[in-house]
Amino acid sequence: MVDAMALWGLPLTGVHCAQCGEAHLVPEGTLPARCPFCLQGPVEQQPALVPEEPPEQVLPYEVSGGRVRAILERWSNGIWLRPQDMNADVLTERARSYLVPLWLVDGQVQAAWRADVGFDYQVVSSQDRYRDGDGWSSQEVQETHVRWEPRVGRLDRRYENLAAPALDDHRKLMGCLGEYDLHQREGYSPEAVGDAAVRVPTLEPEAAWPGAEAAFARAAQSECQEAAGADHIRDFTIDAQYSGLNWTLLLLPAYVTWYEEGGRAWPVLINGQSGRVSGARQASARKARTMSLVIGAIALLLILLGGLLTLIGLVFPPLLVAGGVILLISVLPALVAPIPAIAVWAFNRKSAQKTDTLGSAMPKL
Amino acid sequence: MDDNRPPSTLWPPPPGFAPVPSQIEGIEIYAPAPEEEAEETRTFKCRQCGGTISYSATQRQLACPYCGSEQQIDAEAVGRAADEFEFTLETIAEARRGWGEARRELVCESCGAVVTVAPDALTDTCAFCGSNRVLARDAADGVGSDILRPTTLIPFVVDKEQCQAKVREWLGRGWMHPPELRSVRALRELAGIYLPYWTFDTHVSADWKAEVGTERTERYYKDGEWKTRTVIDWHWRSGRVHVPVDDHTVPGTVRVSRVILSKIEPFDLHGLVEYDPGYLAGWQAKTHDVQLPEAWEIAKEEIRDHVKSACHSDTGSRHVRNMRMAADFADERWRYILLPIYLASYPFDERTFQVMVNGQTGEVAGQKPIAWLRVWLAIAGLLMPGACLGLVGLLALALGGIGVIGLVLGFILLIAGLIGAVIIFQKARASEEI
């Protein structure tokens, strides 16, 4: 059994979600009722999930307290028929610190490379105008073209702190959370974790190597472009050998909160550094249905009243006109009645699709 | 850099690559090595007898006129795919200079033309105006030279003997010229000369907007009867045309008559070969006196006319007014080339007339004196029948109504004669024009 207190400086325990399968570390004695990530599945305590090595670095929270509330208020405002549960106070109260693991890799790269590098240059071109009576007028314009030239070379460089995924769903999660500025990172301290839920890495360094290799290639490509003094680079190919690899685990700050609508919990993720929010913004289908029903009922009442007056009008003609007018007026609410229900259905569908495209790390509940 | 690493498919660099400076330590960069710029100024002497050799239009290689030995020129035929340059200051600055061989410049004090000739050429006459007030000096060569070196040229295909025959045949052609032209003895020697030309490529996309008229026939009632008339309905229309321009040529000199030059064009640019000084051995070459920007303005003027025509065609109607166009020139490229022509002049009746021959196709054009007596007689002959018949008709009218027919026929013949007379007169005038 791993002694979390000794390694992490905190009394942490591991929990595993039966629904989404993800593992988290949470402070001992605060076992959540639902999975901190998918907010759906029941969690089961598994102390063995606590990693033997704690993270070496953390990225501190830049967004906290009042700013989280302001961000959530801005995010939840402007929705027609907003659910009761979706308001800044509720969302802020439920917001929980959430730490996402990321590998940082250092290493020496010796490689042969080949690429096409592009150099910008200016050409003089013309844009001419013609008008009957005035003839032609010409304007000289400068256009930027790119001259591509082949380059090959060798590289012997050391790269440090290149980001590599520590989670299977890293890309999707980053799609929701956006970019982090890794220069702000600090050494690990138990205070930096506090009562946050910490996602347990699913990729060990061996499994994370393809991502790290791609990061090395990107760094090398960028440096080769700079070394060649070029403005662009394309078709970069590298044949590299790596040595002196060093892996460091970094925790990225985030918040997870949620609101209920339509019998479901809708999660909301916030980047703890930039404040970027990601989540499906759902309108209240129940409110929309109620509004449609009320308008429909008004329409029905008007139709009944108009019909009644029209029938009486057959005996007492002056009421015939009033009955006709009321029947005519009833057409308007009858037409408007389905609009709230249809509009909210369409909005919710579009919002859910958009969230799926953006990020789909959001748990499917 | 560790050289004991396992072999890589990316290493070593391909042949022809050389190291270039790197802005980051630990990164080596190799790029295609630039072509060797240094070249020796060449002279053209026969390897067998030491005599001066020249390019032979018939043998298509260098030939010695003394011992008959031949030397091949190693230049690639490139045709219309020859290298082109974009409009950047760098390309003009980096363009190669000089002729690549020792040449002498002849400066005509009379017309100001500058041509270059082989160092031992005996020419002392200006090929453009026939004047012998010519100054000779060494032509500057290499990087310091102002002379832009052509990238390609079309070598002479027609030789001087063939040209002489073609010119004599051309001189004897046509009834409106003096018969003595057939036996002109004083035709000065034909000077084979490479003329500078600029060629331009571009792609023009033009948006147009105009009022376009469509014809409609309508019936209307007037003076108690129904009549028909054509009316035009005007509507605003717009469209876009794409005009690709490939190898639009502009002469690089103003020393030759543009009128005569246009008559011996076109040149077949598929015959372009890479520039090699060997092609100039024994021939004159004219340096350009129209600079690239001026030539491009001339070309643009002509291209705009094409674009305007294309826009008018795109309207699909012959009734167009208030035309507006916005033409965007893209991918403008240029080349500086040499094209072969023969120049000659001959004196006749105390005047000097110019002749030009296309050195590639043998097309002849030039000035020819007019036997005006013949022309006037021909005009009189055309007008006479109508005038006579009209007079006869007039006399017959005094005798009776039958004269009207003669009068009408005479009038028709007179009109036809007048049209023919104007055509003949215009043709005769054009024949003497430069």
Side-chain angles (χ1 to χ4, degrees):
Chain A
M1 178 77 68
V2 175
D3 182 356
M5 190 64 199
L7 289 170
W8 288 67
L10 283 169
L12 295 174
T13 186
V15 291
H16 179 261
C17 173
Q19 180 82 19
C20 68
E22 300 299 342
H24 293 83
L25 303 179
V26 294
E28 216 168 35
T30 60
L31 196 67
R34 292 195 286 192
C35 170
F37 184 57
C38 75
L39 310 167
Q40 179 77 0
V43 292
E44 146 192 356
Q45 192 169 352
Q46 289 185 359
L49 288 172
V50 179
E52 289 181 7
E53 288 183 21
E56 290 178 49
Q57 294 186 318
V58 290
L59 209 55
Y61 279 91
E62 300 282 331
V63 177
S64 58
R67 237 189 108 195
V68 172
R69 193 193 175 284
I71 288 168
L72 286 168
E73 184 157 24
R74 205 165 47 242
W75 178 80
S76 59
N77 270 346
I79 299 176
W80 186 49
L81 300 177
R82 187 172 64 171
Q84 195 69 36
D85 207 34
M86 190 207 276
N87 70 66
D89 291 330
V90 174
L91 289 168
T92 310
E93 193 189 321
R94 289 176 186 159
R96 172 165 199 178
S97 303
Y98 190 78
L99 295 167
V100 180
L102 179 76
W103 289 114
L104 296 179
V105 198
D106 307 336
Q108 185 73 23
V109 183
Q110 286 185 306
W113 60 274
R114 182 173 60 202
D116 283 346
V117 292
F119 300 92
D120 287 343
Y121 64 97
Q122 303 290 313
V123 293
V124 181
S125 189
S126 304
Q127 283 178 352
D128 292 8
R129 299 272 178 281
Y130 174 86
R131 209 182 173 119
D132 269 352
D134 296 343
W136 287 95
S137 62
S138 186
Q139 189 188 0
E140 200 172 83
V141 288
Q142 286 209 335
E143 290 173 358
T144 302
H145 287 198
V146 181
R147 185 181 67 254
W148 291 99
E149 295 177 6
R151 293 284 187 275
V152 297
R154 289 194 299 181
L155 171 148
D156 189 354
R157 299 278 297 164
R158 180 167 182 80
Y159 297 106
E160 296 188 339
N161 297 313
L162 300 180
L167 297 170
D168 289 314
D169 57 350
H170 171 86
R171 215 170 139 191
K172 290 176 179 176
L173 202 55
M174 288 302 124
C176 293
L177 291 169
E179 297 286 318
Y180 281 93
D181 177 9
L182 301 184
H183 294 101
Q184 310 292 326
R185 62 189 185 278
E186 296 172 351
Y188 171 78
S189 67
E191 295 76 36
V193 173
D195 62 349
V198 183
R199 184 85 174 266
V200 176
T202 54
L203 298 174
E204 288 305 308
E206 292 77 21
W209 173 244
E213 194 175 23
F216 276 116
R218 279 195 300 274
Q221 173 175 329
S222 173
E223 280 205 338
C224 287
Q225 177 187 336
E226 193 187 335
D231 302 300
H232 312 273
I233 190 164
R234 69 180 183 193
D235 297 338
F236 183 80
T237 315
I238 189 166
D239 184 3
Q241 288 184 334
Y242 304 90
S243 58
L245 293 175
N246 179 45
W247 296 78
T248 307
L249 194 65
L250 169 74
L251 296 178
L252 305 175
Y255 292 100
V256 178
T257 183
W258 55 279
Y259 66 92
E260 272 189 352
E261 165 53 29
R264 292 170 57 177
W266 295 88
V268 180
L269 281 173
I270 305 165
N271 184 316
Q273 188 184 52
S274 67
R276 174 179 162 157
V277 191
S278 183
R281 299 202 315 162
Q282 297 284 295
S284 171
R286 191 174 57 80
K287 281 185 182 176
R289 274 198 307 273
T290 309
M291 186 180 274
S292 286
L293 280 173
V294 169
I295 299 172
I298 292 169
L300 189 65
L301 275 175
L302 287 173
I303 289 166
L304 288 173
L305 182 64
L308 186 67
L309 289 176
T310 308
L311 282 175
I312 297 170
L314 293 174
V315 184
F316 186 61
L319 288 179
L320 196 64
V321 178
V325 169
I326 290 171
L327 276 177
L328 210 62
I329 291 169
S330 69
V331 173
L332 186 66
L335 288 175
V336 170
I339 290 176
I342 293 171
V344 165
W345 172 80
F347 175 81
N348 286 350
R349 197 160 173 264
K350 195 175 167 188
S351 174
Q353 277 174 356
K354 194 175 164 190
T355 312
D356 280 349
T357 324
L358 256 185
S360 12
M362 304 309 288
K364 307 277 186 299
L365 304 177
Chain B
M1 202 79 47
D2 180 12
D3 282 325
N4 299 319
R5 298 177 49 219
S8 163
T9 53
L10 304 180
W11 195 258
F17 276 61
V20 292
S22 166
Q23 293 179 17
I24 294 182
E25 195 183 333
I27 297 181
E28 286 177 10
I29 306 174
Y30 287 72
E35 286 176 21
E36 288 294 324
E37 288 293 326
E39 64 171 9
E40 289 177 7
T41 301
R42 287 162 63 183
T43 54
F44 294 94
K45 296 287 180 190
C46 178
R47 288 170 191 155
Q48 287 186 20
C49 68
T52 302
I53 55 174
S54 59
Y55 177 75
S56 164
T58 46
Q59 292 160 286
R60 313 278 170 87
Q61 56 192 341
L62 291 163
C64 176
Y66 308 106
C67 68
S69 72
E70 296 167 349
Q71 286 180 33
Q72 204 69 38
I73 297 175
D74 295 327
E76 195 184 339
V78 286
R80 299 180 76 163
D83 284 347
E84 292 165 332
F85 300 101
E86 292 178 299
F87 277 83
T88 65
L89 290 174
E90 291 80 4
T91 52
I92 299 168
E94 287 167 9
R96 300 178 84 181
R97 307 271 154 172
W99 296 102
E101 65 159 333
R103 289 183 76 79
R104 285 178 69 72
E105 272 181 357
L106 298 181
V107 184
C108 176
E109 290 188 317
S110 182
C111 72
V114 180
V115 294
T116 69
V117 295
D120 48 3
L122 299 173
T123 313
D124 59 356
T125 308
C126 174
F128 296 95
C129 67
S131 165
N132 56 6
R133 292 171 57 208
V134 171
L135 283 176
R137 65 186 183 204
D138 288 337
D141 196 31
V143 179
S145 168
D146 288 337
I147 301 162
L148 198 63
R149 181 181 299 185
T151 51
T152 49
L153 58 81
I154 294 178
F156 277 92
V157 176
V158 184
D159 70 9
K160 281 188 183 174
E161 285 68 35
Q162 289 172 308
C163 260
Q164 290 275 4
K166 280 177 185 288
V167 170
R168 291 203 182 283
E169 192 262 320
W170 174 80
L171 280 172
R173 211 187 297 157
W175 59 267
M176 61 174 72
H177 307 289
E180 300 83 23
L181 273 184
R182 291 186 179 86
S183 53
V184 165
R185 295 272 170 224
L187 181 64
R188 291 191 183 118
E189 194 187 351
L190 284 160
I193 184 163
Y194 283 102
L195 279 192
Y197 266 79
W198 301 98
T199 76
F200 298 100
D201 287 9
T202 183
H203 186 99
V204 187
S205 303
D207 293 310
W208 61 266
K209 189 178 179 187
E211 278 190 279
V212 178
T214 47
E215 288 182 5
R216 175 171 56 83
T217 307
E218 69 173 17
R219 296 190 74 208
Y220 67 101
Y221 191 77
K222 191 179 178 186
D223 300 334
E225 59 176 326
W226 283 98
K227 297 178 181 178
T228 58
R229 66 182 171 197
T230 303
V231 290
I232 298 171
D233 294 326
W234 293 96
H235 302 282
W236 280 101
R237 295 270 185 275
S238 60
R240 165 170 270 224
V241 294
H242 298 278
V243 183
V245 179
D246 191 21
D247 287 331
H248 186 93
T249 53
V250 174
T253 179
V254 292
R255 300 292 172 198
V256 289
S257 157
R258 190 72 191 91
V259 176
I260 303 176
L261 208 51
S262 65
K263 287 178 184 168
I264 62 166
E265 288 173 350
F267 290 86
D268 179 9
L269 297 187
H270 291 99
L272 283 170
V273 296
E274 279 182 352
Y275 174 80
D276 185 292
Y279 289 113
L280 268 58
W283 301 84
Q284 296 186 36
K286 174 82 184 73
T287 51
H288 66 86
D289 45 52
V290 175
Q291 302 301 322
L292 176 62
E294 297 166 47
W296 175 228
E297 280 307 314
I298 294 167
K300 271 208 301 189
E301 203 65 42
E302 292 162 358
I303 291 167
R304 282 179 189 141
D305 288 341
H306 292 314
V307 172
K308 198 174 162 189
S309 302
C311 289
H312 273 272
S313 300
D314 199 42
T315 61
S317 171
R318 60 196 175 94
H319 305 291
V320 179
R321 68 185 187 193
N322 289 324
M323 174 63 93
R324 292 167 197 181
M325 284 175 273
D328 193 0
F329 287 69
D331 296 329
E332 297 102 321
R333 288 168 183 274
W334 61 272
R335 262 193 311 230
Y336 176 51
I337 62 174
L338 294 180
L339 298 179
I341 66 157
Y342 287 98
L343 282 176
S345 57
Y346 60 93
F348 190 88
D349 201 16
E350 296 179 354
R351 287 172 65 196
T352 301
F353 294 86
Q354 272 192 17
V355 184
M356 286 186 212
V357 185
N358 184 318
Q360 184 189 33
T361 62
E363 188 67 32
V364 186
Q367 293 171 284
K368 273 203 276 192
I370 293 297
W372 283 105
L373 185 62
R374 287 183 175 202
V375 172
W376 291 122
L377 281 174
I379 289 172
L382 283 170
L383 297 176
M384 200 64 82
C388 290
L389 196 61
L391 276 175
V392 171
L394 209 61
L395 289 173
L397 201 63
L399 299 174
I402 190 119
V404 177
I405 298 169
L407 208 58
V408 171
L409 278 175
F411 181 72
I412 292 168
L413 281 176
L414 194 65
I415 294 296
L418 264 174
I419 293 169
V422 168
I423 291 170
I424 287 174
F425 183 76
Q426 292 286 3
K427 206 174 164 188
R429 283 276 304 273
S431 186
E432 283 193 330
E433 258 183 19
I434 292 187

